[in-house]
Amino acid sequence: MTAYRLDVVIPCFNEDDNLPVTLPRIVSFLDEVQADPQIEMAQWRVILVDDGSTDKTWDCILAHCVPGRISGIKLSRNFGHQSAMLAGLTHADADAVITMDSDLQDDILVVRDMLLAFQNGFDLALGVRSARDTDTAFKRGTARLYYRLLNAMGTDAVEDHADYRLMSQRALRALLAHDEVNLFIRGLIPAIGFRVSIIPYVRQAREIGESKYTLRKMLLLAIDGITSFSVMPLRLIALIGVVVFMFALATGGAVLVERLFFANRVVPGWASILLPLLALGGVQLLSLGVLGEYVGKIYLETKRRPRFIIETVHDDTSAGDGDQRR
């Protein structure tokens, strides 16, 4: 393999207290990796994406921008972590592209292993957490349940892999070829194909600030992961419909038997009315909710609204306002 270029895409949201500490570490480490004789990297660049921060994150990015080494992209508003990452990926044009978070909880030493995997012909190098000891019991349990649910629904997701990965340029092009509005990157990565290297690592504790990934955001991401890749919930509704229909037939038979043979032993009417009403009402509400989620996604796809809007790009080739959309 000839000498290659590397882009590192880092989404940022309200990280003005974190970036001044972590960014110099990232730069220093990339310099060390470039000097390693085993690594054939000729050039690297860090792309920082401000996802509509409300603090001084963009000012911090501008203060650290260096032509050819550190670039900044400012989105017009907060579009979410996945969209911010996608904005950075559309700007990346290097031979290899790494996505990571700015808090350095994902072990940066793994970058070297990712580059070695790329040099050995792998198009994808996925960082996978080897343990969840630093998580709370609730988070560990819900994460395990989530991945099992994804697999049960037919989604080929890599367990304990989030957004810490390396992609070759052709893998990146394959990812960007997916033009849907509701883009669940974690689920698309295994579906791309190509050679994949799994690299385990231990997630570090966050040193500064708090995680911006709230429980609400994680739940929305989980719903996106299921509904973007599987129609199994719709099939489950059909199955539930069959079960409820059989239950209704059984209930009707029981009511008929009571009326013919045990009319004097039971209070007539209450069970045969109340139980089916409760069962059918609950199933109908659940079914409407699942159907509504899929219809909502169809609605968003047909509107074709941009997944992100770039307000400003600051790097060695352009600086100023823009309205790039994707």
Side-chain angles (χ1 to χ4, degrees), residues 1 3-9 41-47 68 88-98 115 118 123 166-173 176:
M1 175 177 288
Y4 54 87
R5 295 181 299 120
L6 171 70
D7 280 342
V8 180
V9 176
M41 179 176 59
Q43 184 182 352
W44 59 263
R45 176 178 60 159
V46 174
I47 302 174
L89 290 174
T90 58
H91 194 68
D93 58 3
D95 304 292
V97 181
I98 289 178
L115 293 175
F118 173 69
D123 287 280
L166 176 145
M167 290 178 283
S168 67
Q169 184 57 225
R170 69 171 180 172
L172 176 59
R173 289 196 302 268
L176 296 180

PDB file of all heavy atoms in Angstrom, residues 1 3-9 41-47 68 88-98 115 118 123 166-173 176:
ATOM      1  N   MET A   1       0.840  -1.187   0.000  1.00  0.00           N
ATOM      2  CA  MET A   1       0.000   0.000   0.000  1.00  0.00           C
ATOM      3  C   MET A   1       0.879   1.243   0.000  1.00  0.00           C
ATOM      4  O   MET A   1       1.833   1.342   0.773  1.00  0.00           O
ATOM      5  CB  MET A   1      -0.925  -0.002   1.237  1.00  0.00           C
ATOM      6  CG  MET A   1      -1.763   1.280   1.368  1.00  0.00           C
ATOM      7  SD  MET A   1      -2.883   1.209   2.772  1.00  0.00           S
ATOM      8  CE  MET A   1      -4.084   0.024   2.184  1.00  0.00           C
ATOM      9  N   ALA A   3       1.525   5.414   0.486  1.00  0.00           N
ATOM     10  CA  ALA A   3       1.171   6.328   1.576  1.00  0.00           C
ATOM     11  C   ALA A   3      -0.240   6.874   1.364  1.00  0.00           C
ATOM     12  O   ALA A   3      -0.623   7.225   0.251  1.00  0.00           O
ATOM     13  CB  ALA A   3       2.188   7.459   1.638  1.00  0.00           C
ATOM     14  N   TYR A   4      -1.000   6.934   2.427  1.00  0.00           N
ATOM     15  CA  TYR A   4      -2.398   7.321   2.331  1.00  0.00           C
ATOM     16  C   TYR A   4      -2.694   8.506   3.252  1.00  0.00           C
ATOM     17  O   TYR A   4      -1.909   8.841   4.141  1.00  0.00           O
ATOM     18  CB  TYR A   4      -3.305   6.141   2.689  1.00  0.00           C
ATOM     19  CG  TYR A   4      -3.007   5.525   4.044  1.00  0.00           C
ATOM     20  CD1 TYR A   4      -3.600   6.021   5.199  1.00  0.00           C
ATOM     21  CD2 TYR A   4      -2.124   4.453   4.161  1.00  0.00           C
ATOM     22  CE1 TYR A   4      -3.332   5.460   6.442  1.00  0.00           C
ATOM     23  CE2 TYR A   4      -1.852   3.895   5.390  1.00  0.00           C
ATOM     24  CZ  TYR A   4      -2.448   4.398   6.535  1.00  0.00           C
ATOM     25  OH  TYR A   4      -2.164   3.848   7.753  1.00  0.00           O
ATOM     26  N   ARG A   5      -3.864   9.101   3.025  1.00  0.00           N
ATOM     27  CA  ARG A   5      -4.326  10.211   3.850  1.00  0.00           C
ATOM     28  C   ARG A   5      -5.427   9.730   4.794  1.00  0.00           C
ATOM     29  O   ARG A   5      -6.184   8.811   4.468  1.00  0.00           O
ATOM     30  CB  ARG A   5      -4.844  11.355   2.979  1.00  0.00           C
ATOM     31  CG  ARG A   5      -3.773  12.011   2.117  1.00  0.00           C
ATOM     32  CD  ARG A   5      -4.352  13.160   1.292  1.00  0.00           C
ATOM     33  NE  ARG A   5      -5.382  12.695   0.382  1.00  0.00           N
ATOM     34  CZ  ARG A   5      -6.647  13.117   0.391  1.00  0.00           C
ATOM     35  NH1 ARG A   5      -7.039  14.011   1.299  1.00  0.00           N
ATOM     36  NH2 ARG A   5      -7.518  12.642  -0.485  1.00  0.00           N
ATOM     37  N   LEU A   6      -5.529  10.386   5.936  1.00  0.00           N
ATOM     38  CA  LEU A   6      -6.514  10.028   6.954  1.00  0.00           C
ATOM     39  C   LEU A   6      -7.315  11.261   7.352  1.00  0.00           C
ATOM     40  O   LEU A   6      -6.754  12.323   7.593  1.00  0.00           O
ATOM     41  CB  LEU A   6      -5.829   9.447   8.195  1.00  0.00           C
ATOM     42  CG  LEU A   6      -6.729   9.226   9.419  1.00  0.00           C
ATOM     43  CD1 LEU A   6      -7.700   8.079   9.170  1.00  0.00           C
ATOM     44  CD2 LEU A   6      -5.896   8.951  10.669  1.00  0.00           C
ATOM     45  N   ASP A   7      -8.641  11.110   7.393  1.00  0.00           N
ATOM     46  CA  ASP A   7      -9.539  12.115   7.961  1.00  0.00           C
ATOM     47  C   ASP A   7     -10.163  11.548   9.224  1.00  0.00           C
ATOM     48  O   ASP A   7     -10.599  10.382   9.243  1.00  0.00           O
ATOM     49  CB  ASP A   7     -10.645  12.492   6.970  1.00  0.00           C
ATOM     50  CG  ASP A   7     -10.185  13.480   5.915  1.00  0.00           C
ATOM     51  OD1 ASP A   7      -9.145  14.134   6.137  1.00  0.00           O
ATOM     52  OD2 ASP A   7     -10.850  13.584   4.866  1.00  0.00           O
ATOM     53  N   VAL A   8     -10.214  12.364  10.278  1.00  0.00           N
ATOM     54  CA  VAL A   8     -10.851  11.975  11.539  1.00  0.00           C
ATOM     55  C   VAL A   8     -12.040  12.900  11.761  1.00  0.00           C
ATOM     56  O   VAL A   8     -11.870  14.110  11.941  1.00  0.00           O
ATOM     57  CB  VAL A   8      -9.868  12.065  12.721  1.00  0.00           C
ATOM     58  CG1 VAL A   8     -10.570  11.651  14.020  1.00  0.00           C
ATOM     59  CG2 VAL A   8      -8.649  11.194  12.475  1.00  0.00           C
ATOM     60  N   VAL A   9     -13.245  12.344  11.732  1.00  0.00           N
ATOM     61  CA  VAL A   9     -14.474  13.123  11.873  1.00  0.00           C
ATOM     62  C   VAL A   9     -14.949  13.048  13.329  1.00  0.00           C
ATOM     63  O   VAL A   9     -15.131  11.956  13.876  1.00  0.00           O
ATOM     64  CB  VAL A   9     -15.570  12.601  10.926  1.00  0.00           C
ATOM     65  CG1 VAL A   9     -16.884  13.344  11.154  1.00  0.00           C
ATOM     66  CG2 VAL A   9     -15.122  12.743   9.477  1.00  0.00           C
ATOM     67  N   MET A  41       0.872   6.211   6.871  1.00  0.00           N
ATOM     68  CA  MET A  41       0.044   7.400   6.692  1.00  0.00           C
ATOM     69  C   MET A  41       0.927   8.604   6.345  1.00  0.00           C
ATOM     70  O   MET A  41       1.873   8.923   7.059  1.00  0.00           O
ATOM     71  CB  MET A  41      -0.749   7.683   7.959  1.00  0.00           C
ATOM     72  CG  MET A  41      -1.628   8.915   7.895  1.00  0.00           C
ATOM     73  SD  MET A  41      -2.620   9.112   9.381  1.00  0.00           S
ATOM     74  CE  MET A  41      -1.355   9.227  10.656  1.00  0.00           C
ATOM     75  N   ALA A  42       0.579   9.284   5.261  1.00  0.00           N
ATOM     76  CA  ALA A  42       1.365  10.433   4.822  1.00  0.00           C
ATOM     77  C   ALA A  42       0.819  11.744   5.361  1.00  0.00           C
ATOM     78  O   ALA A  42       1.578  12.704   5.566  1.00  0.00           O
ATOM     79  CB  ALA A  42       1.385  10.497   3.290  1.00  0.00           C
ATOM     80  N   GLN A  43      -0.470  11.791   5.622  1.00  0.00           N
ATOM     81  CA  GLN A  43      -1.090  13.054   6.032  1.00  0.00           C
ATOM     82  C   GLN A  43      -2.368  12.762   6.798  1.00  0.00           C
ATOM     83  O   GLN A  43      -3.046  11.766   6.535  1.00  0.00           O
ATOM     84  CB  GLN A  43      -1.399  13.914   4.788  1.00  0.00           C
ATOM     85  CG  GLN A  43      -1.963  15.279   5.087  1.00  0.00           C
ATOM     86  CD  GLN A  43      -2.276  16.052   3.806  1.00  0.00           C
ATOM     87  OE1 GLN A  43      -1.924  15.599   2.706  1.00  0.00           O
ATOM     88  NE2 GLN A  43      -2.930  17.185   3.926  1.00  0.00           N
ATOM     89  N   TRP A  44      -2.711  13.600   7.750  1.00  0.00           N
ATOM     90  CA  TRP A  44      -3.964  13.446   8.486  1.00  0.00           C
ATOM     91  C   TRP A  44      -4.648  14.796   8.634  1.00  0.00           C
ATOM     92  O   TRP A  44      -4.021  15.848   8.555  1.00  0.00           O
ATOM     93  CB  TRP A  44      -3.739  12.807   9.854  1.00  0.00           C
ATOM     94  CG  TRP A  44      -2.814  13.561  10.776  1.00  0.00           C
ATOM     95  CD1 TRP A  44      -1.486  13.331  10.981  1.00  0.00           C
ATOM     96  CD2 TRP A  44      -3.152  14.679  11.605  1.00  0.00           C
ATOM     97  NE1 TRP A  44      -0.963  14.222  11.873  1.00  0.00           N
ATOM     98  CE2 TRP A  44      -1.971  15.070  12.270  1.00  0.00           C
ATOM     99  CE3 TRP A  44      -4.324  15.386  11.845  1.00  0.00           C
ATOM    100  CZ2 TRP A  44      -1.932  16.128  13.177  1.00  0.00           C
ATOM    101  CZ3 TRP A  44      -4.281  16.450  12.743  1.00  0.00           C
ATOM    102  CH2 TRP A  44      -3.112  16.803  13.395  1.00  0.00           C
ATOM    103  N   ARG A  45      -5.952  14.727   8.857  1.00  0.00           N
ATOM    104  CA  ARG A  45      -6.750  15.929   9.089  1.00  0.00           C
ATOM    105  C   ARG A  45      -7.876  15.591  10.052  1.00  0.00           C
ATOM    106  O   ARG A  45      -8.476  14.521   9.973  1.00  0.00           O
ATOM    107  CB  ARG A  45      -7.331  16.451   7.773  1.00  0.00           C
ATOM    108  CG  ARG A  45      -8.261  17.650   7.950  1.00  0.00           C
ATOM    109  CD  ARG A  45      -8.798  18.174   6.616  1.00  0.00           C
ATOM    110  NE  ARG A  45      -9.558  17.162   5.897  1.00  0.00           N
ATOM    111  CZ  ARG A  45     -10.456  17.453   4.941  1.00  0.00           C
ATOM    112  NH1 ARG A  45     -10.676  18.700   4.592  1.00  0.00           N
ATOM    113  NH2 ARG A  45     -11.091  16.472   4.320  1.00  0.00           N
ATOM    114  N   VAL A  46      -8.183  16.506  10.970  1.00  0.00           N
ATOM    115  CA  VAL A  46      -9.296  16.365  11.902  1.00  0.00           C
ATOM    116  C   VAL A  46     -10.418  17.285  11.434  1.00  0.00           C
ATOM    117  O   VAL A  46     -10.193  18.480  11.175  1.00  0.00           O
ATOM    118  CB  VAL A  46      -8.881  16.722  13.342  1.00  0.00           C
ATOM    119  CG1 VAL A  46     -10.097  16.705  14.267  1.00  0.00           C
ATOM    120  CG2 VAL A  46      -7.825  15.747  13.847  1.00  0.00           C
ATOM    121  N   ILE A  47     -11.628  16.731  11.307  1.00  0.00           N
ATOM    122  CA  ILE A  47     -12.805  17.508  10.904  1.00  0.00           C
ATOM    123  C   ILE A  47     -13.751  17.574  12.102  1.00  0.00           C
ATOM    124  O   ILE A  47     -14.320  16.562  12.514  1.00  0.00           O
ATOM    125  CB  ILE A  47     -13.508  16.858   9.701  1.00  0.00           C
ATOM    126  CG1 ILE A  47     -12.554  16.740   8.518  1.00  0.00           C
ATOM    127  CG2 ILE A  47     -14.744  17.674   9.310  1.00  0.00           C
ATOM    128  CD1 ILE A  47     -13.130  15.978   7.338  1.00  0.00           C
ATOM    129  N   GLY A  68      -5.111  22.591   6.632  1.00  0.00           N
ATOM    130  CA  GLY A  68      -4.614  21.276   6.254  1.00  0.00           C
ATOM    131  C   GLY A  68      -4.587  20.256   7.375  1.00  0.00           C
ATOM    132  O   GLY A  68      -4.347  19.076   7.124  1.00  0.00           O
ATOM    133  N   GLY A  88     -19.889  15.475   8.545  1.00  0.00           N
ATOM    134  CA  GLY A  88     -18.433  15.372   8.487  1.00  0.00           C
ATOM    135  C   GLY A  88     -17.969  14.343   7.476  1.00  0.00           C
ATOM    136  O   GLY A  88     -16.971  14.550   6.776  1.00  0.00           O
ATOM    137  N   LEU A  89     -18.706  13.249   7.359  1.00  0.00           N
ATOM    138  CA  LEU A  89     -18.322  12.198   6.416  1.00  0.00           C
ATOM    139  C   LEU A  89     -18.454  12.659   4.966  1.00  0.00           C
ATOM    140  O   LEU A  89     -17.662  12.262   4.109  1.00  0.00           O
ATOM    141  CB  LEU A  89     -19.178  10.946   6.651  1.00  0.00           C
ATOM    142  CG  LEU A  89     -18.907  10.182   7.949  1.00  0.00           C
ATOM    143  CD1 LEU A  89     -19.912   9.047   8.128  1.00  0.00           C
ATOM    144  CD2 LEU A  89     -17.487   9.634   7.985  1.00  0.00           C
ATOM    145  N   THR A  90     -19.461  13.479   4.678  1.00  0.00           N
ATOM    146  CA  THR A  90     -19.602  13.980   3.309  1.00  0.00           C
ATOM    147  C   THR A  90     -18.474  14.951   2.957  1.00  0.00           C
ATOM    148  O   THR A  90     -18.190  15.163   1.772  1.00  0.00           O
ATOM    149  CB  THR A  90     -20.950  14.693   3.133  1.00  0.00           C
ATOM    150  OG1 THR A  90     -21.050  15.770   4.067  1.00  0.00           O
ATOM    151  CG2 THR A  90     -22.105  13.738   3.361  1.00  0.00           C
ATOM    152  N   HIS A  91     -17.846  15.526   3.974  1.00  0.00           N
ATOM    153  CA  HIS A  91     -16.736  16.466   3.753  1.00  0.00           C
ATOM    154  C   HIS A  91     -15.394  15.739   3.673  1.00  0.00           C
ATOM    155  O   HIS A  91     -14.414  16.298   3.180  1.00  0.00           O
ATOM    156  CB  HIS A  91     -16.715  17.493   4.885  1.00  0.00           C
ATOM    157  CG  HIS A  91     -15.858  18.684   4.621  1.00  0.00           C
ATOM    158  ND1 HIS A  91     -16.158  19.627   3.661  1.00  0.00           N
ATOM    159  CD2 HIS A  91     -14.694  19.088   5.179  1.00  0.00           C
ATOM    160  CE1 HIS A  91     -15.228  20.561   3.647  1.00  0.00           C
ATOM    161  NE2 HIS A  91     -14.331  20.265   4.550  1.00  0.00           N
ATOM    162  N   ALA A  92     -15.358  14.494   4.160  1.00  0.00           N
ATOM    163  CA  ALA A  92     -14.100  13.740   4.196  1.00  0.00           C
ATOM    164  C   ALA A  92     -13.795  13.171   2.816  1.00  0.00           C
ATOM    165  O   ALA A  92     -14.667  12.590   2.162  1.00  0.00           O
ATOM    166  CB  ALA A  92     -14.195  12.611   5.220  1.00  0.00           C
ATOM    167  N   ASP A  93     -12.549  13.344   2.374  1.00  0.00           N
ATOM    168  CA  ASP A  93     -12.147  12.828   1.068  1.00  0.00           C
ATOM    169  C   ASP A  93     -10.839  12.046   1.118  1.00  0.00           C
ATOM    170  O   ASP A  93     -10.229  11.777   0.082  1.00  0.00           O
ATOM    171  CB  ASP A  93     -12.014  13.975   0.060  1.00  0.00           C
ATOM    172  CG  ASP A  93     -11.006  15.028   0.503  1.00  0.00           C
ATOM    173  OD1 ASP A  93     -10.380  14.843   1.563  1.00  0.00           O
ATOM    174  OD2 ASP A  93     -10.849  16.037  -0.210  1.00  0.00           O
ATOM    175  N   ALA A  94     -10.400  11.661   2.313  1.00  0.00           N
ATOM    176  CA  ALA A  94      -9.142  10.936   2.467  1.00  0.00           C
ATOM    177  C   ALA A  94      -9.318   9.471   2.086  1.00  0.00           C
ATOM    178  O   ALA A  94     -10.434   8.983   1.876  1.00  0.00           O
ATOM    179  CB  ALA A  94      -8.622  11.068   3.891  1.00  0.00           C
ATOM    180  N   ASP A  95      -8.203   8.757   2.039  1.00  0.00           N
ATOM    181  CA  ASP A  95      -8.239   7.329   1.709  1.00  0.00           C
ATOM    182  C   ASP A  95      -8.873   6.514   2.826  1.00  0.00           C
ATOM    183  O   ASP A  95      -9.514   5.490   2.576  1.00  0.00           O
ATOM    184  CB  ASP A  95      -6.819   6.825   1.446  1.00  0.00           C
ATOM    185  CG  ASP A  95      -6.128   7.620   0.355  1.00  0.00           C
ATOM    186  OD1 ASP A  95      -6.566   7.514  -0.807  1.00  0.00           O
ATOM    187  OD2 ASP A  95      -5.182   8.360   0.662  1.00  0.00           O
ATOM    188  N   ALA A  96      -8.684   6.946   4.060  1.00  0.00           N
ATOM    189  CA  ALA A  96      -9.286   6.291   5.216  1.00  0.00           C
ATOM    190  C   ALA A  96      -9.929   7.357   6.089  1.00  0.00           C
ATOM    191  O   ALA A  96      -9.408   8.466   6.222  1.00  0.00           O
ATOM    192  CB  ALA A  96      -8.238   5.520   6.017  1.00  0.00           C
ATOM    193  N   VAL A  97     -11.078   7.017   6.689  1.00  0.00           N
ATOM    194  CA  VAL A  97     -11.827   7.968   7.511  1.00  0.00           C
ATOM    195  C   VAL A  97     -12.177   7.294   8.831  1.00  0.00           C
ATOM    196  O   VAL A  97     -12.704   6.177   8.844  1.00  0.00           O
ATOM    197  CB  VAL A  97     -13.109   8.434   6.802  1.00  0.00           C
ATOM    198  CG1 VAL A  97     -13.858   9.443   7.674  1.00  0.00           C
ATOM    199  CG2 VAL A  97     -12.786   9.048   5.443  1.00  0.00           C
ATOM    200  N   ILE A  98     -11.892   7.982   9.929  1.00  0.00           N
ATOM    201  CA  ILE A  98     -12.225   7.484  11.268  1.00  0.00           C
ATOM    202  C   ILE A  98     -13.257   8.410  11.889  1.00  0.00           C
ATOM    203  O   ILE A  98     -13.148   9.635  11.785  1.00  0.00           O
ATOM    204  CB  ILE A  98     -10.972   7.411  12.160  1.00  0.00           C
ATOM    205  CG1 ILE A  98     -10.055   6.281  11.698  1.00  0.00           C
ATOM    206  CG2 ILE A  98     -11.352   7.212  13.632  1.00  0.00           C
ATOM    207  CD1 ILE A  98      -8.765   6.171  12.491  1.00  0.00           C
ATOM    208  N   LEU A 115      -5.649   1.532  11.734  1.00  0.00           N
ATOM    209  CA  LEU A 115      -4.832   1.851  10.563  1.00  0.00           C
ATOM    210  C   LEU A 115      -4.063   0.624  10.081  1.00  0.00           C
ATOM    211  O   LEU A 115      -3.924   0.404   8.865  1.00  0.00           O
ATOM    212  CB  LEU A 115      -3.866   2.987  10.905  1.00  0.00           C
ATOM    213  CG  LEU A 115      -4.521   4.342  11.177  1.00  0.00           C
ATOM    214  CD1 LEU A 115      -3.478   5.357  11.629  1.00  0.00           C
ATOM    215  CD2 LEU A 115      -5.256   4.852   9.945  1.00  0.00           C
ATOM    216  N   PHE A 118      -6.461  -1.408   8.158  1.00  0.00           N
ATOM    217  CA  PHE A 118      -6.664  -0.802   6.840  1.00  0.00           C
ATOM    218  C   PHE A 118      -5.504  -1.127   5.907  1.00  0.00           C
ATOM    219  O   PHE A 118      -5.713  -1.455   4.735  1.00  0.00           O
ATOM    220  CB  PHE A 118      -6.822   0.713   7.006  1.00  0.00           C
ATOM    221  CG  PHE A 118      -6.863   1.472   5.714  1.00  0.00           C
ATOM    222  CD1 PHE A 118      -7.946   1.352   4.854  1.00  0.00           C
ATOM    223  CD2 PHE A 118      -5.820   2.302   5.352  1.00  0.00           C
ATOM    224  CE1 PHE A 118      -7.991   2.055   3.651  1.00  0.00           C
ATOM    225  CE2 PHE A 118      -5.852   3.012   4.157  1.00  0.00           C
ATOM    226  CZ  PHE A 118      -6.940   2.882   3.310  1.00  0.00           C
ATOM    227  N   ASP A 123     -11.595  -2.909   4.781  1.00  0.00           N
ATOM    228  CA  ASP A 123     -12.302  -1.670   4.465  1.00  0.00           C
ATOM    229  C   ASP A 123     -13.012  -1.091   5.678  1.00  0.00           C
ATOM    230  O   ASP A 123     -13.327   0.098   5.701  1.00  0.00           O
ATOM    231  CB  ASP A 123     -13.327  -1.918   3.359  1.00  0.00           C
ATOM    232  CG  ASP A 123     -12.665  -2.122   2.011  1.00  0.00           C
ATOM    233  OD1 ASP A 123     -12.291  -1.121   1.369  1.00  0.00           O
ATOM    234  OD2 ASP A 123     -12.515  -3.289   1.600  1.00  0.00           O
ATOM    235  N   LEU A 166     -13.242   2.837  11.553  1.00  0.00           N
ATOM    236  CA  LEU A 166     -12.511   3.303  10.378  1.00  0.00           C
ATOM    237  C   LEU A 166     -13.213   2.767   9.140  1.00  0.00           C
ATOM    238  O   LEU A 166     -13.640   1.612   9.115  1.00  0.00           O
ATOM    239  CB  LEU A 166     -11.059   2.840  10.408  1.00  0.00           C
ATOM    240  CG  LEU A 166     -10.203   3.179   9.176  1.00  0.00           C
ATOM    241  CD1 LEU A 166      -8.767   3.478   9.580  1.00  0.00           C
ATOM    242  CD2 LEU A 166     -10.203   2.039   8.138  1.00  0.00           C
ATOM    243  N   MET A 167     -13.292   3.613   8.109  1.00  0.00           N
ATOM    244  CA  MET A 167     -13.851   3.212   6.825  1.00  0.00           C
ATOM    245  C   MET A 167     -12.880   3.589   5.719  1.00  0.00           C
ATOM    246  O   MET A 167     -12.282   4.673   5.746  1.00  0.00           O
ATOM    247  CB  MET A 167     -15.189   3.924   6.571  1.00  0.00           C
ATOM    248  CG  MET A 167     -16.314   3.471   7.459  1.00  0.00           C
ATOM    249  SD  MET A 167     -17.846   4.411   7.134  1.00  0.00           S
ATOM    250  CE  MET A 167     -17.431   5.934   7.975  1.00  0.00           C
ATOM    251  N   SER A 168     -12.729   2.697   4.773  1.00  0.00           N
ATOM    252  CA  SER A 168     -11.980   3.059   3.577  1.00  0.00           C
ATOM    253  C   SER A 168     -12.842   4.003   2.739  1.00  0.00           C
ATOM    254  O   SER A 168     -14.044   4.140   2.966  1.00  0.00           O
ATOM    255  CB  SER A 168     -11.622   1.815   2.774  1.00  0.00           C
ATOM    256  OG  SER A 168     -12.801   1.221   2.232  1.00  0.00           O
ATOM    257  N   GLN A 169     -12.238   4.637   1.755  1.00  0.00           N
ATOM    258  CA  GLN A 169     -12.986   5.576   0.929  1.00  0.00           C
ATOM    259  C   GLN A 169     -14.098   4.867   0.161  1.00  0.00           C
ATOM    260  O   GLN A 169     -15.197   5.400   0.012  1.00  0.00           O
ATOM    261  CB  GLN A 169     -12.045   6.289  -0.042  1.00  0.00           C
ATOM    262  CG  GLN A 169     -12.700   7.353  -0.889  1.00  0.00           C
ATOM    263  CD  GLN A 169     -13.382   8.438  -0.093  1.00  0.00           C
ATOM    264  OE1 GLN A 169     -14.510   8.831  -0.403  1.00  0.00           O
ATOM    265  NE2 GLN A 169     -12.724   8.923   0.959  1.00  0.00           N
ATOM    266  N   ARG A 170     -13.860   3.638  -0.306  1.00  0.00           N
ATOM    267  CA  ARG A 170     -14.917   2.951  -1.040  1.00  0.00           C
ATOM    268  C   ARG A 170     -16.048   2.503  -0.107  1.00  0.00           C
ATOM    269  O   ARG A 170     -17.207   2.483  -0.504  1.00  0.00           O
ATOM    270  CB  ARG A 170     -14.361   1.782  -1.839  1.00  0.00           C
ATOM    271  CG  ARG A 170     -13.865   0.594  -1.047  1.00  0.00           C
ATOM    272  CD  ARG A 170     -13.563  -0.549  -2.001  1.00  0.00           C
ATOM    273  NE  ARG A 170     -13.065  -1.739  -1.307  1.00  0.00           N
ATOM    274  CZ  ARG A 170     -12.873  -2.900  -1.897  1.00  0.00           C
ATOM    275  NH1 ARG A 170     -13.120  -3.030  -3.189  1.00  0.00           N
ATOM    276  NH2 ARG A 170     -12.414  -3.939  -1.222  1.00  0.00           N
ATOM    277  N   ALA A 171     -15.721   2.161   1.145  1.00  0.00           N
ATOM    278  CA  ALA A 171     -16.773   1.845   2.114  1.00  0.00           C
ATOM    279  C   ALA A 171     -17.576   3.110   2.438  1.00  0.00           C
ATOM    280  O   ALA A 171     -18.803   3.047   2.601  1.00  0.00           O
ATOM    281  CB  ALA A 171     -16.162   1.257   3.381  1.00  0.00           C
ATOM    282  N   LEU A 172     -16.892   4.235   2.539  1.00  0.00           N
ATOM    283  CA  LEU A 172     -17.583   5.495   2.796  1.00  0.00           C
ATOM    284  C   LEU A 172     -18.519   5.850   1.639  1.00  0.00           C
ATOM    285  O   LEU A 172     -19.658   6.275   1.860  1.00  0.00           O
ATOM    286  CB  LEU A 172     -16.557   6.615   3.007  1.00  0.00           C
ATOM    287  CG  LEU A 172     -17.120   8.026   3.188  1.00  0.00           C
ATOM    288  CD1 LEU A 172     -18.062   8.092   4.378  1.00  0.00           C
ATOM    289  CD2 LEU A 172     -15.991   9.042   3.345  1.00  0.00           C
ATOM    290  N   ARG A 173     -18.063   5.671   0.419  1.00  0.00           N
ATOM    291  CA  ARG A 173     -18.923   5.945  -0.736  1.00  0.00           C
ATOM    292  C   ARG A 173     -20.156   5.044  -0.722  1.00  0.00           C
ATOM    293  O   ARG A 173     -21.262   5.466  -1.068  1.00  0.00           O
ATOM    294  CB  ARG A 173     -18.151   5.764  -2.040  1.00  0.00           C
ATOM    295  CG  ARG A 173     -17.112   6.846  -2.294  1.00  0.00           C
ATOM    296  CD  ARG A 173     -16.666   6.828  -3.755  1.00  0.00           C
ATOM    297  NE  ARG A 173     -16.111   5.537  -4.148  1.00  0.00           N
ATOM    298  CZ  ARG A 173     -14.832   5.221  -4.092  1.00  0.00           C
ATOM    299  NH1 ARG A 173     -13.952   6.117  -3.627  1.00  0.00           N
ATOM    300  NH2 ARG A 173     -14.397   4.042  -4.486  1.00  0.00           N
ATOM    301  N   LEU A 176     -22.538   6.484   1.886  1.00  0.00           N
ATOM    302  CA  LEU A 176     -23.188   7.722   1.453  1.00  0.00           C
ATOM    303  C   LEU A 176     -24.156   7.487   0.297  1.00  0.00           C
ATOM    304  O   LEU A 176     -24.979   8.356   0.000  1.00  0.00           O
ATOM    305  CB  LEU A 176     -22.128   8.750   1.053  1.00  0.00           C
ATOM    306  CG  LEU A 176     -21.203   9.226   2.174  1.00  0.00           C
ATOM    307  CD1 LEU A 176     -20.194  10.231   1.654  1.00  0.00           C
ATOM    308  CD2 LEU A 176     -22.006   9.818   3.331  1.00  0.00           C
TER     309      LEU A 176
END
